[in-house]
Amino acid sequence: MFDLGAGTQMLILFFLLLALRLPVAFALGLSALYAMWTLGFGLDLVGDLIATGIAKFSLLAIPFFILAGALMGSLGIAERMIRFFRVLIGALPGGMGVVGTVVCLFWGAVSGSGPASVAAIGPLIVKGMEEDGYTRSFAAGLVCTGAALSIVIPPSIGLVIYGVIAETSISQLFIAAIIPGLFMGILMLLTLPFARKTRTVEGSPSLDKLMPAPYADLPYGRRLWRSFLDSFWGLLTPVVILGGIYTGAFTPTEAALVATVYALLVGGIIYRTLSFKGLYQTLADAAAASSVVMLVVAYASLFGWVVTVDDLIGQYSSVLLGVSDNQWVILLVIMVILLIAGMFMDAITIMFICLPIFLPVSRELGWDPVWFGILVMINLAIGLFTPPVGINLYVAANVTRLPLERVAQGAIPFLLTAFIGLAIVAAVPEMASFLVELLG
Amino acid sequence: MSLILRDAEKIACAIIFLAMTALGFANVVVRYTTSYSLASSEELLTNGFLLLTILGAAIAARTGDHLAVTLIFDLLPKSLRKPVLVLAGMLSAVLLALSAWFSWELVSNQMSSGIRSYALQIPAWYYSAGMPFGFALILIRYIQHIFDTWESLTSTEPEHV
C-alpha cells in the first residue's frame, strides 16, 4: 500500500526540502540524487546531465535578455522611457495610472523577468500614482500585476523555457504572446476609474523631487517632442527585438544579443552613461540573475531525468486524463494546479515539474502547443501576484514599505481583470494564433 | 589580493559575459552578411554559458539570492529557526559537494576516454574542467551566506525575548 515509486518519493522529498527554506534549485537536485540512489542507477550521468542541461543554444537567450534589461536600467535608458510616457499621458486626470500600466508593459517588452521589474520601476510609479490621487496600496497592486505580465509579454524568459521543454518554436511563442499580453494589460486599465480618489493625498513625497518633470516650462507639444527625442533610442528597443524576431531575421537568442549590443551602443555613444565600473557591476549582477534561473534549469534536468525513467509522466497524465471526458474541465484542473503552484514557486520550476505531465495530456487532446503555452504563462503570471504568497506582493511590500495585507488588497481588482482576461484568451484561441498565421 | 579573493567570481563572470557578447554578436553579423555560420562559436558560447552559470551561481549564493520558499520558515517559532537553518545548510552542502564530485568524475571520464568536442575537435574536458571547481566555490559562498544568516538571526533575537 505504501510502496511508493522512486519518482513519487522524490516529489514528496522535494516539497519537504522546500519547507526547510532550501533554495528551490538545491531541493530539486537533492531529491533527484536521492531518487537516483534509490533506483540504483543514473548517478554516473549526473555531471553530464547538468552540463548538457545548461549548454543549450536556445537557452542562451536567457542571459542576454537579462543583460539587455539590466543595461537598459543602469544606463538610464529605462528612466528616459518613463519620463516620455509621463509627459505623454501623465498630465491627464488619473493619467499616472495609465503611465504606470504602460511603463510596466513596456518594461516587460525589454526585460523579461517579473519580480526584478517590481524592484526596478516600482518606486517611481507608486510615487507618481499616489500624487495623482490613487492609494498607495492600489498603486502597489498595479505594479505587481504589470510586472507579472512581463513573463507573458515577449521577450519572456518563461516562454524560452516553455519552448525548450515543449520543443516548440520560441519565435512563434513570442509572436503569439503579443496580443494576449497587451490585452491583459488593457484590461488592467478598466480598474483605474474606480480606484481614483478625487483629492490628492497630501504630504506624500513628491515625484518631482525623485524624477524632475523634463522641460516643465515648455508648451505641451514641444515638451512632448523633446522628451520623445530624449527617449527615442530606448523606445526603439522593442522594435529592434521584436521586429527582428517578427520578420524572421533573428532567432530569439540572436535578438537578445543584438539588444545587448544595442543597449551598450546607446549608453556608450549616444547617452554617454556607460562607465567601466557601472558595466562591471551590471555584468556581474546580470550573470548572477541569469544563474539563479539557470541553476534551477540545471538541477531540474536531473529531476526531469528521474521523472522520465520512473514513468511518472504516464501515471500522472493518465490520472489527469481520467478526471473528465470534457477537455474544458481538464483545462480548468490544469489551470487551478498552475495557479496554486504559482503562488508558492517560481514559473521556471513549476514548468519543469508540471509540463512533462501536462504536455502529453494537451497533445492527447489535440491542443495547439503555442496556445497552451500562452495560457500556462498567463496562469503563472497570475500566480505571481495572487495573495497571500505571490512573490511580487512581497517585493512590492518591501519596496513601498506597506504591510503585505495592504498590497494584497490593492492587487484584488487586478486579480479580477486577470481572470476575465485568462478566460477570454482560453476561449478565443485566435488571439494567440492570429499573428502567428499572419506571419507564418 | 583580498579584492581578488572576495570578488574572483564576479571578475570572471564579467569577463566571460563580455567575451560571450562580443563573440555572439560577431556571429550574428557574420551570419547576416555572409550566410556563413560559425559552428565553432556556438560551441564556445554554450560552454562559456555553462561556466558563467556556475560562477554566477556562486555570486548569487553569497548574497542569498537563490529562490527559496520562505513562507513556512517565517511561520516557525524563533527557537526552531536556527536548527532548521543549520539543517538546510548541511543538506545544501551535501548537494553541492556531490555536484562537485560528480562533475569531477565527468572530467576524468572525458580525459581518459579522449572524447573531443563536436566543432573545434579539442578535448571535451577543457570545457567541463571548470565545473567541479565552480561547484566547490558555490559551496564556500553558500556556507558564508549561512553564517551571515545565522548572525542576523542572532542579532534580531533580543528584540523578541
Side-chain angles (χ1 to χ4, degrees):
Chain A
M1 177 89 189
F2 287 100
D3 188 22
L4 298 172
T8 308
Q9 286 182 43
M10 172 177 78
L11 273 178
I12 296 170
L13 182 63
F14 168 70
F15 287 111
L16 286 177
L17 291 172
L18 274 192
L20 293 176
R21 207 177 68 169
L22 224 65
V24 179
F26 296 176
L28 282 168
L30 209 54
S31 52
L33 287 185
Y34 167 80
M36 287 171 165
W37 178 68
T38 329
L39 282 169
F41 61 102
L43 286 175
D44 49 337
L45 297 172
V46 168
D48 199 43
L49 283 172
I50 291 176
T52 50
I54 297 172
K56 288 195 178 87
F57 192 71
S58 46
L59 288 175
L60 265 174
I62 293 174
F64 289 115
F65 274 131
I66 290 178
L67 180 58
L71 286 170
M72 300 272 163
S74 70
L75 296 176
I77 300 172
E79 203 189 311
R80 275 165 228 252
M81 280 167 23
I82 300 181
R83 274 179 212 269
F84 168 70
F85 285 116
R86 188 177 170 209
V87 174
L88 182 69
I89 32 183
L92 301 169
M96 276 311 289
V98 185
V99 173
T101 312
V102 172
V103 166
C104 280
L105 299 183
F106 212 83
W107 185 250
V110 294
S111 72
S113 70
S117 318
V118 181
I121 55 175
L124 282 176
I125 293 173
V126 172
K127 286 268 148 54
M129 283 181 65
E130 236 182 325
E131 270 182 34
D132 203 12
Y134 295 96
T135 62
R136 191 188 290 188
S137 74
F138 179 81
L142 179 134
V143 171
C144 288
T145 314
L149 284 183
S150 71
I151 72 165
V152 181
I153 292 171
S156 143
I157 287 161
L159 284 174
V160 172
I161 303 255
Y162 178 89
V164 170
I165 298 176
E167 292 168 357
T168 304
S169 155
I170 297 167
S171 299
Q172 276 193 12
L173 285 165
F174 277 13
I175 293 168
I178 295 174
I179 294 178
L182 290 179
F183 176 67
M184 301 289 294
I186 291 166
L187 281 181
M188 285 172 65
L189 297 178
L190 297 180
T191 61
L192 295 178
F194 302 103
R196 190 162 167 262
K197 291 186 290 186
T198 39
R199 271 192 315 131
T200 309
V201 183
E202 292 297 327
S204 60
S206 171
L207 180 72
D208 284 322
K209 253 185 223 157
L210 275 165
M211 193 180 77
Y215 317 115
D217 43 343
L218 291 178
Y220 180 74
R222 287 182 58 200
R223 201 168 52 189
L224 187 65
W225 178 243
R226 286 270 188 94
S227 61
F228 173 72
L229 288 183
D230 280 351
S231 61
F232 175 75
W233 299 101
L235 294 171
L236 210 58
T237 318
V239 182
V240 172
I241 296 176
L242 289 179
I245 297 173
Y246 213 77
T247 56
F250 304 137
T251 65
T253 301
E254 288 174 337
L257 271 161
V258 170
T260 304
V261 174
Y262 177 79
L264 280 172
L265 290 178
V266 172
I269 298 171
I270 301 171
Y271 295 156
R272 306 207 170 248
T273 41
L274 185 68
S275 68
F276 179 77
K277 210 177 158 194
L279 178 63
Y280 164 71
Q281 195 56 46
T282 309
L283 284 166
D285 289 348
S290 149
S291 300
V292 168
V293 175
M294 288 308 301
L295 201 67
V296 172
V297 174
Y299 283 124
S301 59
L302 302 183
F303 201 88
W305 185 85
V306 176
V307 168
T308 316
V309 168
D310 197 51
D311 195 36
L312 270 187
I313 298 171
Q315 296 165 28
Y316 285 99
S317 55
S318 55
V319 169
L320 194 55
L321 276 171
V323 167
S324 167
D325 293 332
N326 187 334
Q327 57 163 338
W328 295 103
V329 176
I330 295 177
L331 184 64
L332 193 68
V333 172
I334 288 178
M335 289 193 185
V336 170
I337 295 173
L338 285 174
L339 191 70
I340 295 171
M343 289 158 58
F344 293 92
M345 278 182 286
D346 64 288
I348 314 294
T349 314
I350 296 167
M351 280 195 278
F352 271 104
I353 294 177
C354 293
L355 285 183
I357 296 161
F358 293 165
L359 285 169
V361 172
S362 89
R363 264 194 294 276
E364 183 83 16
L365 296 171
W367 295 343
D368 173 20
V370 172
W371 168 77
F372 185 62
I374 305 304
L375 286 186
V376 168
M377 217 53 60
I378 296 177
N379 251 290
L380 294 175
I382 295 176
L384 280 175
F385 64 93
T386 303
V389 273
I391 302 168
N392 279 9
L393 299 174
Y394 282 85
V395 181
N398 204 358
V399 169
T400 56
R401 274 177 251 105
L402 276 177
L404 190 66
E405 315 83 80
R406 297 278 311 282
V407 180
Q409 230 172 42
I412 286 171
F414 299 107
L415 213 53
L416 214 67
T417 65
F419 279 123
I420 296 170
L422 176 62
I424 294 174
V425 176
V428 190
E430 288 78 15
M431 289 177 80
S433 62
F434 175 71
L435 281 179
V436 177
E437 278 162 20
L438 187 73
L439 296 153
Chain B
M1 188 62 199
S2 66
L3 174 91
I4 292 176
L5 275 183
R6 201 182 63 230
D7 287 344
E9 64 269 36
K10 275 195 187 179
I11 297 166
C13 275
I15 293 169
I16 295 170
F17 216 164
L18 205 57
M20 282 170 67
T21 307
L23 180 66
F25 186 69
N27 195 29
V28 175
V29 173
V30 168
R31 189 187 75 96
Y32 214 63
T33 50
T34 66
S35 82
Y36 281 104
S37 183
L38 309 168
S40 52
S41 76
E42 183 175 323
E43 179 181 309
L44 287 173
L45 277 176
T46 50
N47 285 291
F49 183 31
L50 176 62
L51 200 56
L52 181 79
T53 296
I54 295 177
L55 292 175
I59 303 178
R62 182 72 186 87
T63 48
D65 280 340
H66 285 291
L67 297 169
V69 179
T70 56
L71 180 75
I72 295 155
F73 186 86
D74 293 342
L75 291 174
L76 288 176
K78 302 265 172 201
S79 56
L80 269 178
R81 288 191 187 176
K82 277 187 176 176
V84 168
L85 176 73
V86 173
L87 178 62
M90 289 195 310
L91 288 169
S92 304
V94 168
L95 172 75
L96 292 167
L98 283 173
S99 304
W101 168 253
F102 285 126
S103 38
W104 175 254
E105 286 212 316
L106 172 71
V107 177
S108 55
N109 282 339
Q110 286 175 338
M111 283 169 96
S112 59
S113 70
I115 188 167
R116 284 173 181 272
S117 70
Y118 60 90
L120 287 171
Q121 291 297 312
I122 56 172
W125 67 267
Y126 284 15
Y127 292 132
S128 49
M131 284 175 70
F133 301 102
F135 276 113
L137 190 61
I138 304 177
L139 175 60
I140 294 169
R141 296 310 194 201
Y142 197 67
I143 291 172
Q144 284 181 309
H145 168 68
I146 292 286
F147 273 105
D148 287 352
T149 313
W150 173 277
E151 274 174 20
S152 72
L153 283 179
T154 309
S155 64
T156 54
E157 250 168 19
E159 290 172 34
H160 301 280
V161 170

